[in-house]
């Protein structure tokens, strides 16, 4: 019996990259996965990939910046699978650039798709997570928030740090309901990272030299499997923490 058998997981931003890797890993460990994204063709493709491998998945459309879309998503997932045991808040629009170059609109979109969407999804899923008695929320952050040189990353790190604070608050407030809440901060070979490498090759090369393991994580094997493990019984006493899945590069102390 797989460790996540009979569990139902929602993974946002699951059409590619880290979200896809997490969805694949959770399904491989037995969870039924709601593969969620704005682009339905992408999430349908990932759901089909999971089912072809013998797992259970279904694609769902959701605009995480819209409260009504979030409420409809959770209702649809509960209707399809009977509940929610795991919530992975991965979707995020990334506001990058020097402070003087980032528009109010881009910064606001970062907040709406990041901490505000996380806040809304956590609250919508809370009754179902509490009902299971072993609910787990995984929120995604970034090690950019603890870079010594924040140039070009201030607004991105700001929205991700807000999400980290929500993790700590939910862990403290909902622990008595059997809900664990964790943050992971990954480095992964996602489309976003590849675009960053192409745009800033010298900065990327210097950055990679600061990673003790000297490599970037793989979306499914390194990030997805770690997230799946955190959702399992072996980590049943861990909550409120930020887990850096980054080859030893970051320091969140």
């Amino acid at each position: 019996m797989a460790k996540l058998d009979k569990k139902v997981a929602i993974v946002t931003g699951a059409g590619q990259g880290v979200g896809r890797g997490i969805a694949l890993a959770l399904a491989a460990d037995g969870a039924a996965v709601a593969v969620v994204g704005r682009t339905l063709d992408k999430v349908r493709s990932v759901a089909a990939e999971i089912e072809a491998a013998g797992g259970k998945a279904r694609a769902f459309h959701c605009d995480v910046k819209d409260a009504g879309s979030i409420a409809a998503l959770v209702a649809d997932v509960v209707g399809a699978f009977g509940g929610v045991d795991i919530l992975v808040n991965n979707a995020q629009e990334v506001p990058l650039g020097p402070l003087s170059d980032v528009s109010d609109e881009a910064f606001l979109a970062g907040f709406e798709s990041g901490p505000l969407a996380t806040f809304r999804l956590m609250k919508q899923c809370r009754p179902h997570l509490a009902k299971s008695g072993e609910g787990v929320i995984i929120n995604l952050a970034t090690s950019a928030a603890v870079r010594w040189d924040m140039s070009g990353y201030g607004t991105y790190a700001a929205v991700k740090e807000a999400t980290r604070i929500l993790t700590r608050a939910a862990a403290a407030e909902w622990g008595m309901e059997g809900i664990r809440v964790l943050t992971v901060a990954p480095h992964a070979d996602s489309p976003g990272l590849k675009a960053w490498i192409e745009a800033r090759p010298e900065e990327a090369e210097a950055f990679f030299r600061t990673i003790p393991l000297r490599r970037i994580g793989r979306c499914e094997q390194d990030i997805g499997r770690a997230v799946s493990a955190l959702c399992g019984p072996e980590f049943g006493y861990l909550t409120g923490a930020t887990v850096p899945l980054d080859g030893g590069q970051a320091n969140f102390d």
Side-chain angles (χ1 to χ4, degrees):
M1 181 175 178
K3 66 184 176 184
L4 299 181
D5 274 351
K6 299 183 180 179
K7 302 293 186 182
V8 175
I10 293 176
V11 183
T12 67
Q16 63 182 15
V18 171
R20 171 182 170 273
I22 292 172
L24 293 175
L26 290 172
D29 280 333
V33 181
V35 186
V36 180
R38 287 184 302 182
T39 306
L40 199 49
D41 285 347
K42 286 185 177 180
V43 290
R44 281 175 173 162
S45 176
V46 175
E49 187 178 359
I50 288 171
E51 291 186 326
K56 185 175 182 180
R58 181 170 168 181
F60 294 84
H61 172 269
C62 182
D63 177 359
V64 297
K65 294 192 292 182
D66 181 81
S69 187
I70 285 174
L73 166 69
V74 176
D76 288 347
V77 171
V78 172
F81 293 125
V84 180
D85 304 282
I86 297 166
L87 168 64
V88 179
N89 285 302
N90 170 66
Q92 171 78 66
E93 292 185 27
V94 178
L96 282 176
L99 297 178
S100 57
D101 292 347
V102 177
S103 68
D104 287 1
E105 292 77 15
F107 198 13
L108 182 59
F111 268 105
E112 288 177 334
S113 63
L116 182 55
T118 295
F119 174 71
R120 288 168 168 167
L121 274 159
M122 289 197 304
K123 291 201 297 180
Q124 286 287 334
C125 289
R126 177 189 175 188
H128 308 288
L129 297 168
K131 185 177 180 180
S132 82
E134 297 178 342
V136 182
I137 299 171
I138 303 288
N139 297 325
L140 270 74
T142 177
S143 62
V146 294
R147 289 172 61 99
W148 69 269
D149 176 9
M150 290 296 297
S151 300
Y153 298 94
T155 51
Y156 173 45
V159 300
K160 284 300 195 181
E161 283 296 273
T163 297
R164 283 217 304 144
I165 298 303
L166 291 173
T167 292
R168 294 295 302 276
E173 294 176 13
W174 300 347
M176 66 188 70
E177 300 172 13
I179 300 172
R180 297 190 295 115
V181 193
L182 296 164
T183 299
V184 298
H187 291 328
D189 55 356
S190 64
L193 183 78
K194 291 172 182 174
W196 175 71
I197 293 171
E198 291 176 2
R200 304 183 184 187
E202 293 182 2
E203 180 182 353
E205 184 179 354
F207 179 74
F208 296 153
R209 287 198 297 268
T210 69
I211 299 174
L213 293 183
R214 293 297 192 272
R215 68 177 180 86
I216 295 297
R218 298 161 295 179
C219 290
E220 180 183 358
Q221 295 90 335
D222 294 314
I223 310 306
R225 290 180 184 174
V227 168
S228 185
L230 291 170
C231 292
E234 297 89 345
F235 287 91
Y237 198 55
L238 180 64
T239 193
T242 295
V243 180
L245 302 176
D246 61 3
Q249 191 271 339
N251 178 8
F252 282 92
D253 292 342

